[in-house]
C-alpha cells in the first residue's frame, strides 16, 4: 500500500491549523449545498442525538411512534435518503427493527455518541484532497442510525454514514473513501466488473492517500504473496461485457476457499496504483484517476497487465 509523504502531512497540517475553528454543524440539516471549501463543508451529527431521544422515549412508554416524531420528522437529508433507498424504509419499519434488536442498538450507543470526536480527523482528509486536487467538491456529510443494513453511501448531493455499522476509529477512512466517490467522474455502467473494481479500488487508493488508511484491509492482507494468481483469475473473469458476473470479486458475493469478500477492491487498487506509480506528474495522475472515461484504456495505460 502507499504512504502519505512527510511533505503532504506537513502541508495538510499547516492548512488545517491555519484554517480556523470548524464546527460539526456547518449548514442546516436539510442543506444540499456542495462546497469547494473544506472549512465550510457540512458534517452533521444531530440525527444521532435525535435517534437516541426517540429510543429513550420508546423505553419510557411514549404512546406514538417516537422514531417518527423525534427522528424522522426532525431528520436531515441523510435520514430522508436512507428511507428513500429502503434502508430505514419508514418509521414503523425502524420501530420494529429497534424492538427486535434492542440489545444490538444498546451495544452501539456509546460508540455512536463518540462520532463528534472523529469529526476533525475526517475534515483533515477534506483539506488533503483539496491540496492534491484543487477541483475537489465536498457534499454534506450526514451521520445517521439505520437498521444495520448500510455502512455508508455516496449520493450526488450528500454522503451518508450509518453510525451503527461503523466503529468510530474506522470512520475517517470510510469517509475518505466515500469522499473520493463523490469526486469521481467515471461513467457508470451497471455490471461491468472491470469498471466497478476500478471505481471501488481507486476510491480505496485515493482515500488512503488523503487519510492514511483503507477502511477494510482484509482483501489487501489476503493479496500479499498472491498478487500474480489474483491477476490471472481476474483477467479470466473480466469479460468486459454489459453484464459481468461479480461473484468472487465484489459486494460480499460467493467466496473461493478462505479468501475474504470484495477482492475486487484490491484489484482496482492495484490497477490504480500501477497507473499512479508510472506517472511522472502525480497531480495529473490524481486528476486522471478521478476522471477516467474508459476503464479498459486506463487498465492498458496502467501497465498492470505487464507486471
Amino acid at each position: 500500500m502507499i504512504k502519505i509523504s512527510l511533505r503532504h502531512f506537513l502541508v495538510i497540517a499547516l492548512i488545517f491549523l491555519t484554517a480556523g475553528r470548524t464546527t460539526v454543524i456547518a449548514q442546516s440539516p436539510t442543506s444540499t449545498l456542495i462546497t469547494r471549501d473544506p472549512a465550510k463543508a457540512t458534517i452533521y451529527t444531530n440525527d444521532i442525538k435525535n435517534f437516541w431521544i426517540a429510543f429513550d422515549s420508546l423505553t419510557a412508554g411514549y404512546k406514538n411512534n417516537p422514531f417518527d416524531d423525534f427522528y424522522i420528522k426532525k431528520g436531515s437529508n441523510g435520514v430522508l435518503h436512507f428511507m428513500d433507498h429502503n434502508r430505514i424504509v419508514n418509521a414503523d419499519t425502524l420501530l420494529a427493527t429497534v424492538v427486535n434488536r434492542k440489545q444490538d442498538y444498546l451495544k452501539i450507543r456509546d460508540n455512536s455518541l463518540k462520532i463528534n470526536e472523529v469529526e476533525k480527523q475526517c475534515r483533515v482528509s477534506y483539506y488533503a484532497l483539496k491540496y492534491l486536487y484543487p477541483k475537489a467538491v465536498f457534499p454534506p456529510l450526514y451521520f445517521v442510525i439505520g437498521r444495520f443494513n448500510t455502512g455508508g453511501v455516496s449520493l450526488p448531493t450528500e454522503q451518508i454514514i450509518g453510525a451503527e455499522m461503523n466503529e468510530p476509529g474506522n470512520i475517517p477512512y470510510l469517509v475518505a473513501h466515500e469522499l473520493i466517490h463523490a469526486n469521481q467522474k467515471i461513467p457508470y455502467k451497471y455490471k461491468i466488473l472491470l469498471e466497478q473494481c476500478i471505481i471501488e479500488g481507486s476510491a480505496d487508493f485515493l482515500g488512503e492517500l488523503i487519510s492514511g488508511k483503507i477502511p477494510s484491509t482484509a482483501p489487501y492482507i489476503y493479496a500479499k504473496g498472491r498478487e500474480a494468481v489474483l491477476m490471472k483469475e481476474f483477467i479470466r473473469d473480466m469479460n468486459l461485457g454489459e453484464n459481468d458476473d461479480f461473484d468472487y470479486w465484489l459486494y460480499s458475493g460467493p467466496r473461493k476457499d478462505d479468501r475474504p469478500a470484495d477482492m475486487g477492491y484490491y484489484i482496482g487498487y492495484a490497477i490504480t496504483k500501477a497507473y499512479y506509480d508510472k506517472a511522472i506528474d502525480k497531480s495529473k495522475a490524481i486528476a486522471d484517476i478521478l476522471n477516467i472515461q474508459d476503464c479498459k484504456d486506463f487498465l492498458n495505460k496502467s501497465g498492470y497487465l505487464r507486471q
Side-chain angles (χ1 to χ4, degrees):
M1 298 182 196
I2 58 176
K3 296 182 179 180
I4 301 176
S5 70
L6 178 60
R7 176 173 175 268
H8 282 167
F9 266 129
L10 291 175
V11 172
I12 291 163
L14 178 62
I15 295 172
F16 181 71
L17 291 173
T18 58
R21 186 174 180 271
T22 58
T23 58
V24 175
I25 306 170
Q27 308 290 339
S28 68
T30 56
S31 171
T32 57
L33 178 66
I34 298 175
T35 180
R36 293 186 181 275
D37 184 349
K40 295 180 179 179
T42 298
I43 299 180
Y44 188 80
T45 63
N46 269 13
D47 290 315
I48 294 175
K49 180 184 70 175
N50 290 340
F51 177 90
W52 293 114
I53 290 172
F55 185 95
D56 291 339
S57 297
L58 175 66
T59 303
Y62 187 76
K63 292 183 179 180
N64 298 324
N65 185 335
F67 295 99
D68 188 31
D69 293 341
F70 303 124
Y71 184 54
I72 291 174
K73 287 181 178 176
K74 295 183 178 181
S76 69
N77 275 5
V79 170
L80 296 179
H81 282 143
F82 251 43
M83 294 172 64
D84 291 345
H85 293 266
N86 291 320
R87 294 174 173 96
I88 291 174
V89 182
N90 56 46
D92 290 339
T93 304
L94 180 58
L95 174 60
T97 303
V98 171
V99 169
N100 290 332
R101 301 189 62 173
K102 182 178 180 180
Q103 293 305 313
D104 291 329
Y105 280 99
L106 287 172
K107 289 177 183 178
I108 62 93
R109 180 168 185 153
D110 288 345
N111 276 346
S112 72
L113 292 170
K114 293 177 181 177
I115 297 297
N116 285 351
E117 297 176 9
V118 300
E119 181 269 339
K120 186 172 288 187
Q121 188 178 352
C122 291
R123 201 176 293 273
V124 166
S125 293
Y126 288 29
Y127 285 106
L129 183 59
K130 182 68 175 180
Y131 169 71
L132 295 173
Y133 184 63
K135 293 181 179 179
V137 296
F138 306 96
L141 170 63
Y142 300 102
F143 289 96
V144 307
I145 295 180
R147 298 190 302 119
F148 288 96
N149 56 11
T150 304
V153 62
S154 183
L155 300 171
T157 55
E158 57 249 343
Q159 297 174 274
I160 311 167
I161 302 296
E164 81 279 13
M165 297 285 287
N166 296 284
E167 294 288 331
N170 198 51
I171 280 175
Y173 314 119
L174 177 61
V175 167
H177 175 100
E178 297 297 341
L179 180 62
I180 298 303
H181 281 321
N183 281 272
Q184 287 174 330
K185 298 294 187 291
I186 304 174
Y188 179 78
K189 299 176 184 176
Y190 184 62
K191 294 292 279 184
I192 296 180
L193 181 61
L194 173 64
E195 177 183 273
Q196 204 61 38
C197 289
I198 287 176
I199 287 172
E200 295 294 354
S202 64
D204 265 3
F205 180 87
L206 294 179
E208 182 189 34
L209 191 63
I210 63 174
S211 71
K213 289 186 180 179
I214 294 168
S216 179
T217 58
Y220 299 88
I221 294 171
Y222 178 87
K224 289 182 178 179
R226 301 180 175 95
E227 294 87 352
V229 172
L230 289 168
M231 180 176 68
K232 290 180 181 178
E233 289 186 6
F234 181 76
I235 293 170
R236 181 196 64 206
D237 294 345
M238 183 187 69
N239 298 319
L240 299 177
E242 294 295 328
N243 192 34
D244 287 349
D245 188 351
F246 284 9
D247 286 357
Y248 307 120
W249 294 108
L250 290 170
Y251 308 132
S252 300
R255 304 182 188 184
K256 296 180 180 180
D257 49 66
D258 61 343
R259 71 185 59 187
D262 295 332
M263 290 304 301
Y265 282 54
Y266 157 75
I267 294 292
Y269 179 105
I271 294 168
T272 306
K273 184 178 186 300
Y275 184 90
Y276 182 86
D277 287 347
K278 278 184 60 180
I280 297 174
D281 186 338
K282 302 303 185 187
S283 295
K284 182 179 183 300
I286 290 170
D288 290 346
I289 292 164
L290 288 168
N291 294 278
I292 297 167
Q293 297 301 299
D294 184 328
C295 288
K296 185 177 180 181
D297 180 63
F298 181 77
L299 170 64
N300 292 332
K301 288 180 177 177
S302 73
Y304 174 72
L305 298 178
R306 296 186 292 277
Q307 290 182 345

